[in-house]
Structure formats: structure tokens, C-alpha cells
Amino acid sequence: MKTRLFTALAAALAGLLAAGCGDGAGTGGSSPGGSGSGMPPAVVTTAPVEQGAFSVDARFVATLQAKSAADLYARTSGPIVEVRADSGDPVRTGQLLARIQPDEAQTQVAQARAALRIAEATLSQRQANLEIATATASRTETLHRQDLVSQQDYDAVQAELVGARAQLELARAQIEQARTTLSVAGLELEKTRLVAPFDGFVGRRYLDLGDFAATNRPLFSIVDLSTIVTTISVTEKDAARVHVGQGARVTTETYPGRVFEGQVARMASVFDPQTNTTEAEIEIDNPDAALKPGMFAGVSVTFRTEPTALLVPASAVVESETESHVFVAERVSEETAAGPRPAAGADAAPAGPRWVARKLTVRVVGAGSGDRAAIELEAPGAGADLLTAGARVVVLGQQTLSDGAPIVPTEPAAAGRQSAADAPEQTAEENRS
């Protein structure tokens, strides 16, 4: 076993020395492609450049709120004698939620009604008195023209007529007063009834049956869940790209994979001098009441969409502190290819086209569907003939590449098959050792 191992190591060392001597003899200078010495081509994995749609999105984390929400307070004091709604119940506008002890208010209403009836009876009496006084005055006036009634008696009858008219006006005023008193008493009675101000749900019930209600204590909170709102802080840079009516997408951890559609409903007119941001309010349709106030949500606003763009796998983009770039596989002729082919033998490269890696500085402008990045050339025109739909970019193995370096591009599937094929041989070799 040891003899075979030493023999294999000696043969491998001899092969490396021979390959080193051959390289030094044949590639002393730089290649036209800029690779430098005659190092063997690097085996890299490539993927095609595609053309498709992309979007530029801004993502925010926000807290959801109900568009309409209200705490309902008692409008009068007293013990709660009836509760008709509980937390989570759906309610309609005007629906009775609870009642406060109404005895005192009911008594006031009864008294006001009795006073109104008295005033109405008085009015009827005053109207009858006026009719009598009017008839008497008419007869007296006829007799007075015939000198059958003295002036004193005539003046007395006229005074009674004026008094009857005044009594009728007083009775009418008393009717209005009694009606006003009854209305006020009715309002006081209405204050003992707590009703829903709009359609929605009971967010919370604060008091129970028998508790004492006071005007400074809320009894219920009501929320309208048909529309949910949230507020995002927009930087000065992005404010010009956000406008009313713009679409927004909302996601939550409660419903993974579900996207709720919304839109920008309004924009604030001022910026916060402390944060240099302004606020945009997003309204989200919530017909099934799935979203609840207080939830945390991710909000995505699309700033820009492009139907046709160059899309590459995100792994193809190499980021540095100063730039972003990709390597495009370029097919070249034998004369311009960097690096010689390996000598014939077991490690000889298969016959076929020669390839080099071209480094292109790009700018990532958005994200396409899946794990793809939308890119464009940093300097328009420079490399435009290389970075086109259908070209191939290096997605694995580009970390050690330089511009013009010779490469052997492979497909991701082919690379996987090669690795899978090599694994059994490696395992067998380890077993033999």
C-alpha cells in the first residue's frame, strides 16, 4: 500500500514539474486579452442574460391602524343596567350597545309630557275665550254706532278682546316652552342609551353589567376594519417619487404569502426637521377584516417599473466599495485568446471555442421576479454589444477573474452533473487508500 502511494506521489510531482517547465517556456509575455501568463482557463458557471420586467421598490416597516376608530364614553352617570355587545362583535350604525339606569330621565320625560298637555289645554281655553271676546266686541261695536252702548262699556269690551288675544299668545308660548322641556328631557333619556356611531366591530368592552358609568370613562372602543391605514416615513430623496394614488403592497407575518393591495391616500406637506422625512398614509382594502389594528406589516411602494430590462441572477453581480460589475463570457478567436490550450493528454481541454471573461461595470437598478437583478451599464455604450439578452454571465467562480481572463464556461446543470460524477471516484480513491 505504501509503495503504491509513494509511486503515485512521485508521478504527480514529476507531472507538475513538467507542466511548470512547459508553461514557462511557452508563455513568457502578456496575452492580448490581458490575462498575463499562460495559466490554464478557469472553469466557471454561467447563466444567460434575460430580458423582462423589473420594478424599483422601497420597503418600510409600519404599524397598522383602523381608518375609523372611536372610544365611546357615557354621556350621563349611572349604573349600567343592560349590555348588548361584547369585544369582537360586529355592529351597525345606531345599534344599541348598552343602557345606563334611565329612571330619573324617564321621570323628567313624564313630567315634561304632562306639562305639555296642560299647556295644550290652556291654549284651547284661550282660543275659546278669544272667540267669545271677538263676538262680544263685534256686537258692542254695532250697538255703539247706534248709541245704544256707552263709550265706557265699549272701551271695556275692547280691552277684554285685547286681553284675550294676549292670553292666547301666552298659551302658545307656554306650548313652545313645554315642547322644549320635553325635548330636553328626551335628550337626557337618550343619553342613557349608548349606540354605535358607525359600522364596524367592538374593539374592546371596558365596563360590565352593574358597573357605574361616568362621563370620563369609556365603555366601548369601536373600529371600522373595512379599510386599514398605516403611515410610512419617506426621505427627501424618495418624496418626489411617491404620489397620491400610487400602489402599495402590504404583507404580515400573520398571513405569510398573502399580499394585501393598497394605495397612497395622502402625503404630508411638511418635513420633520429632526429626521428630514415626511409622512405618507397608505390605505389598504380589508374586506374580510383579516388585518387588525396594531399589527406590524411590511409595506412596499413601487417607485419605477420597466417592462423590458436586462435581468441576471443576483449571484452574477460582484459588489465592491466603489463599483458593481459582472463578467460576461465572450467567445474569441485563437489569435486573441489568452493562454494556450493544455498539452494533449489526460488533462487536455476538449476541442471547441475559446472564451474570455469581460468585466463590465454595471448599476443595479431594481429587482425582477425571483432571485434576479435588473442591471444597466454604468457607462452607456461601453460593452453594450456584450451585455445583451442571450449573453452569458459568470455566476460562480468570478471572484478570482480579471478582465480578459481565459475561462471554460459551463452550465449550472452540467457543473452539478460533473460534481456528482466526481464524488464516487473520490470516495473510491479514499477507500483504496
Side-chain angles (χ1 to χ4, degrees):
M1 176 67 71
K2 292 183 178 179
T3 303
R4 286 199 300 270
L5 179 60
F6 289 149
T7 302
L9 291 175
L13 181 58
L16 288 175
L17 291 175
C21 294
D23 290 345
T27 58
S30 299
S31 70
S35 66
S37 63
M39 295 298 291
V43 178
V44 297
T45 304
T46 62
V49 178
E50 300 177 358
Q51 194 171 46
F54 85 95
S55 62
V56 178
D57 298 335
R59 293 176 174 82
F60 307 87
V61 176
T63 303
L64 302 182
Q65 300 173 339
K67 183 179 180 180
S68 299
D71 282 338
L72 304 186
Y73 288 79
R75 294 180 294 167
T76 188
S77 300
I80 299 174
V81 296
E82 186 177 7
V83 176
R84 293 192 177 184
D86 207 343
S87 299
D89 289 349
V91 294
R92 306 291 293 180
T93 303
Q95 178 179 332
L96 179 64
L97 305 179
R99 280 197 314 126
I100 299 172
Q101 178 62 258
D103 292 352
E104 182 178 351
Q106 288 174 341
T107 300
Q108 292 175 354
V109 169
Q111 291 174 345
R113 285 175 178 167
L116 178 60
R117 288 194 295 270
I118 293 174
E120 289 173 343
T122 301
L123 177 63
S124 298
Q125 181 182 1
R126 297 292 185 264
Q127 286 176 335
N129 292 342
L130 178 59
E131 290 175 359
I132 295 172
T134 301
T136 301
S138 177
R139 288 192 301 270
T140 302
E141 185 175 1
T142 300
L143 295 175
H144 181 261
R145 289 196 190 102
Q146 299 175 358
D147 293 331
L148 298 177
V149 174
S150 66
Q151 184 66 38
Q152 182 178 1
D153 292 338
Y154 174 77
D155 291 341
V157 170
Q158 292 297 322
E160 290 178 0
L161 177 59
V162 172
R165 289 173 178 167
Q167 289 295 324
L168 179 61
E169 292 300 322
L170 177 60
R172 287 173 176 168
Q174 289 173 340
I175 287 286
E176 293 300 323
Q177 183 180 28
R179 288 174 178 170
T180 301
T181 302
L182 178 59
S183 178
V184 172
L187 291 176
E188 290 300 319
L189 180 61
E190 184 64 23
K191 288 181 180 179
T192 64
R193 302 175 71 253
L194 200 67
V195 299
F198 48 79
D199 294 351
F201 293 83
V202 177
R204 185 176 178 183
R205 177 172 59 83
Y206 297 101
L207 297 180
D208 298 322
L209 182 67
D211 286 344
F212 189 86
T215 56
N216 61 346
R217 297 179 64 187
L219 274 70
F220 295 91
S221 65
I222 305 297
V223 293
D224 178 7
L225 300 181
S226 61
T227 302
I228 295 294
V229 299
T230 189
T231 302
I232 59 174
S233 297
V234 183
T235 63
E236 185 176 351
K237 175 183 176 182
D238 293 335
R241 302 193 286 180
V242 179
H243 55 82
V244 174
Q246 193 168 16
R249 297 177 303 282
V250 177
T251 57
T252 64
E253 292 185 357
T254 306
Y255 305 103
R258 182 175 178 182
V259 178
F260 298 84
E261 298 295 333
Q263 65 177 7
V264 179
R266 55 194 58 86
M267 288 281 295
S269 302
V270 296
F271 281 81
D272 186 337
Q274 302 296 326
T275 62
N276 199 31
T277 60
T278 188
E279 291 186 342
E281 187 173 291
I282 310 295
E283 290 188 355
I284 308 108
D285 290 334
N286 190 33
D288 59 352
L291 299 178
K292 301 294 191 296
M295 282 183 174
F296 288 104
V299 181
S300 177
V301 179
T302 300
F303 288 158
R304 172 189 171 193
T305 58
E306 182 67 42
T308 58
L310 296 178
L311 304 176
V312 300
S315 58
V317 182
V318 180
E319 303 280 356
S320 68
E321 294 182 358
T322 58
E323 66 174 19
S324 300
H325 61 268
V326 297
F327 285 97
V328 179
E330 180 187 13
R331 183 175 178 175
V332 296
S333 65
E334 291 289 340
E335 290 75 15
T336 58
R341 294 183 183 276
D347 296 330
R354 305 293 297 278
W355 300 84
V356 295
R358 292 302 180 192
K359 179 181 178 181
L360 300 179
T361 304
V362 297
R363 178 171 56 250
V364 178
V365 294
S369 60
D371 187 22
R372 295 187 299 175
I375 62 173
E376 59 185 24
L377 290 169
E378 183 70 33
D385 57 331
L386 295 175
L387 191 60
T388 59
R392 305 198 68 83
V393 290
V394 180
V395 296
L396 183 62
Q398 69 271 51
Q399 287 76 13
T400 59
L401 294 181
S402 60
D403 185 35
I407 58 173
V408 177
T410 62
E411 300 284 344
R417 288 194 301 269
Q418 182 180 1
S419 299
D422 291 344
E425 295 181 4
Q426 182 178 0
T427 302
E429 181 65 31
E430 290 173 352
N431 292 336
R432 286 194 299 269
S433 298

